[in-house]
């Protein structure tokens, strides 16, 4: 995790710091034994730090905000890892031109 360590050694920039402040505020406003309000963000490259545990974060995937609840085992990972930005391929039947034998299939 050398890139992550280097990022933190160089200090938190303005936008990630703003996200942490919003998370603190959301946690403070939530009552005890209640999940804090979701904080939306585009910062997919933000590394999850211990202070974020238990927070609800809406991570933008390019189309929607995917709601992520931060758990202790997520520490050190990027927020973007938990909001998939593409739709996994569901393979159907192979089309025309997929194989050499498909040349001999009549085109109806």
């Amino acid at each position: 995790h050398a890139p992550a360590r280097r990022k933190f050694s160089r200090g938190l920039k303005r936008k990630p710091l703003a996200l942490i402040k919003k998370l603190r505020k959301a946690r403070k406003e939530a009552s005890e034994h209640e999940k804090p309000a979701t904080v939306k963000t585009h910062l997919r490259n933000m590394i999850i730090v211990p202070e974020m545990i238990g927070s609800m974060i809406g991570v933008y995937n390019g189309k929607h905000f995917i709601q992520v609840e931060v758990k202790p085992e997520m520490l050190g990972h990027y927020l973007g890892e938990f909001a998939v930005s593409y739709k996994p391929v569901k393979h159907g039947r192979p089309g025309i031109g997929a194989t050499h034998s498909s040349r001999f299939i009549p085109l109806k």
Side-chain angles (χ1 to χ4, degrees), residues 30-76:
S31 62
E32 287 291 319
H33 312 298
E34 179 181 290
K35 288 180 184 172
T38 303
V39 177
K40 291 182 176 181
T41 182
H42 281 236
L43 299 175
R44 296 174 59 83
N45 63 345
M46 177 69 183
I47 297 161
I48 294 173
V49 293
E51 194 177 351
M52 293 177 166
I53 292 172
S55 299
M56 301 297 284
I57 304 176
V59 185
Y60 195 62
N61 71 351
K63 191 173 184 181
H64 305 290
F65 287 93
I66 308 298
Q67 195 158 357
V68 175
E69 185 182 356
V70 183
K71 295 185 172 68
E73 51 268 19
M74 294 179 177
L75 276 178

Side-chain angles (χ1 to χ4, degrees), residues 8-26:
F8 277 100
S9 71
R10 294 175 67 85
L12 279 175
K13 303 290 184 267
R14 189 174 182 170
K15 283 186 176 178
L17 208 60
L19 173 66
I20 287 178
K21 282 180 183 172
K22 282 182 185 175
L23 290 170
R24 278 183 198 147
K25 186 181 175 201

